[in-house]
Amino acid sequence: FFSRLGRILNLFYCELSGLIKQNHIFLKNHSSCREGNKLLLDIKDSDLETATYLRFNVMKQTFYGRKDAATSFAAAINCRPQIMRDAIPNMLPILTPPGINPYTQVELHDKFGPCLDAADATITCPEPSEKIRALVKNEKSDRKTLKLKLIQAKKEAREKIVMVALGDEKWEDKKSKIEGEAEC
């Protein structure tokens, strides 16, 4: 994204890479930055009172779209903002947000939707479609089934460990003996 943005700026503005040194300070005063058709940038060597200023025109003379926009340079400068607006959609990709997880979308609507005003609720947590609700319902069911299977597998593993540790006696018999001793 930023490399493409740099390419767009290079279509309209001059490269400053050779002019910028360490500790340089950039100054741009809105009232003094325009002189005729120039867009000026002041570069100061340091923050000392005796520092020297370099004034540099950052606008390219042959910027993108100049030939198509107008015959004179002054007219092209006036058209430049519109040329830039037209160039951006062609050169920068439109980023689409990833959206909200379906499970979160249903939870937001069901739990927080009733707490908001109707106008705010439609924007913040809109009603999920039936497809999304069915997807979440199936996911919850699958999670519950998986959780029950895990609990059952843990019980079986615990019983096997106890049987190995206590010998061949049945777990229920040992369990009742242990509980009986605990009551005494």
Side-chain angles (χ1 to χ4, degrees):
F1 178 78
F2 289 109
S3 64
R4 289 182 180 166
L5 187 59
R7 280 187 244 144
I8 289 174
L9 292 174
N10 283 337
L11 294 175
F12 298 98
Y13 300 103
C14 294
E15 185 71 36
L16 299 174
S17 61
L19 297 170
I20 308 304
K21 307 289 185 224
Q22 188 174 2
N23 298 329
H24 275 179
I25 299 170
F26 298 92
L27 303 168
K28 184 173 180 303
N29 186 349
H30 185 68
S31 61
S32 66
C33 71
R34 298 296 296 248
E35 279 183 13
N37 295 328
K38 296 179 179 179
L39 181 63
L40 301 172
L41 176 71
D42 291 333
I43 302 173
K44 189 176 173 183
D45 288 343
S46 66
D47 201 21
L48 300 173
E49 291 179 15
T50 59
T52 58
Y53 285 88
L54 172 66
R55 191 159 242 210
F56 186 71
N57 181 16
V58 294
M59 189 182 305
K60 281 188 176 178
Q61 298 295 316
T62 57
F63 59 84
Y64 173 81
R66 176 185 171 192
K67 292 178 183 175
D68 300 334
T71 54
S72 71
F73 184 66
I77 293 294
N78 292 333
C79 296
R80 196 166 129 289
Q82 185 59 42
I83 294 169
M84 291 176 90
R85 280 189 220 104
D86 294 341
I88 288 172
N90 298 332
M91 305 217 178
L92 284 180
I94 297 173
L95 303 175
T96 56
I100 299 176
N101 178 337
Y103 189 83
T104 306
Q105 187 177 356
V106 170
E107 292 293 317
L108 276 173
H109 179 268
D110 293 347
K111 292 183 179 179
F112 297 105
C115 301
L116 300 173
D117 295 332
D120 293 336
T122 56
I123 296 168
T124 307
C125 43
E127 172 103 34
S129 67
E130 289 302 318
K131 182 180 176 183
I132 290 175
R133 285 203 178 272
L135 177 78
V136 170
K137 185 178 180 183
N138 290 339
E139 186 178 329
K140 281 184 178 181
S141 173
D142 292 345
R143 285 182 182 182
K144 189 174 183 179
T145 305
L146 180 63
K147 189 175 182 178
L148 291 173
K149 286 181 183 178
L150 286 173
I151 290 171
Q152 183 63 31
K154 285 180 181 180
K155 279 184 182 178
E156 290 173 2
R158 185 176 58 229
E159 288 178 4
K160 286 180 183 178
I161 290 170
V162 169
M163 286 179 64
V164 168
L166 299 177
D168 289 335
E169 293 184 46
K170 291 186 176 180
W171 165 244
E172 293 300 323
D173 295 340
K174 283 290 188 183
K175 187 177 176 184
S176 61
K177 286 181 185 177
I178 293 171
E179 288 173 357
E181 292 171 1
E183 290 177 2
C184 294

